Amino acid sequence: MTHFDHLEQYIPNLRTLSILDIGSGLGGFFIDATGKGATVTGIEISDEYIAKTQELLKRKGSDAEVVKGVGENIPFNSASFDFVNLCEVIEHVEDPEEVLTEVLRVLNSNGMAYMSLPNHFVIKKN
């Protein structure tokens, strides 16, 4: 079962929502979701990952887009998305609080977000 399939068990209309995938990485969730007909936009900091994801999307005939950016400064207008995916990302950002503020900003008034993080043993304490 993919991450998208898992989410769809709880959000049956997920394929109809506008989705932002923050930290889209090599495009696993992003490509799976677009392949299932979802409207997804990715945001990723790595030029290499963006290029690889775009190449995979092109091969699949998708015009979905991954843009360069960071969660602390999401390059989209307020209330632009119905759903935001942050899967194993928050532990990699510079300012987690700012990322969550930005997520709330880009979600529409009925929007939802999914965030997962690794086991607490991997989080460094100052």
Side-chain angles (χ1 to χ4, degrees):
M1 175 180 291
T2 68
H3 176 55
F4 188 88
D5 294 335
H6 177 76
L7 290 173
E8 211 169 23
Q9 290 182 325
Y10 301 96
I11 309 166
N13 66 333
L14 186 59
R15 293 175 196 224
T16 67
L17 303 179
S18 58
I19 301 170
L20 176 63
D21 185 24
I22 299 176
S24 57
L26 290 171
F29 171 81
F30 187 91
I31 291 168
D32 183 39
T34 58
K36 292 176 177 166
T39 302
V40 187
T41 303
I43 181 172
E44 173 58 48
I45 194 170
S46 167
D47 290 325
E48 178 185 353
Y49 287 2
I50 292 170
K52 287 181 179 182
T53 300
Q54 289 297 154
E55 180 57 35
L56 288 170
L57 289 166
K58 184 178 175 181
R59 278 192 243 148
K60 293 182 179 285
S62 174
D63 62 354
E65 182 181 25
V66 180
V67 299
K68 186 169 178 79
V70 295
E72 291 89 349
N73 187 20
I74 298 173
F76 298 104
N77 293 330
S78 297
S80 295
F81 297 95
D82 301 315
F83 184 81
V84 175
N85 182 60
L86 286 106
C87 186
E88 308 293 319
V89 171
I90 200 75
E91 69 274 14
H92 299 288
V93 302
E94 292 290 323
D95 187 342
E97 244 180 271
E98 187 59 32
V99 171
L100 295 178
T101 298
E102 279 288 278
V103 166
L104 289 174
R105 181 185 66 77
V106 299
L107 278 172
N108 67 36
S109 61
N110 294 316
M112 298 172 280
Y114 170 88
M115 181 175 71
S116 63
L117 55 146
N119 184 298
H120 68 91
F121 292 112
V122 302
I123 297 174
K124 297 177 185 173
K125 296 183 180 185
N126 295 338

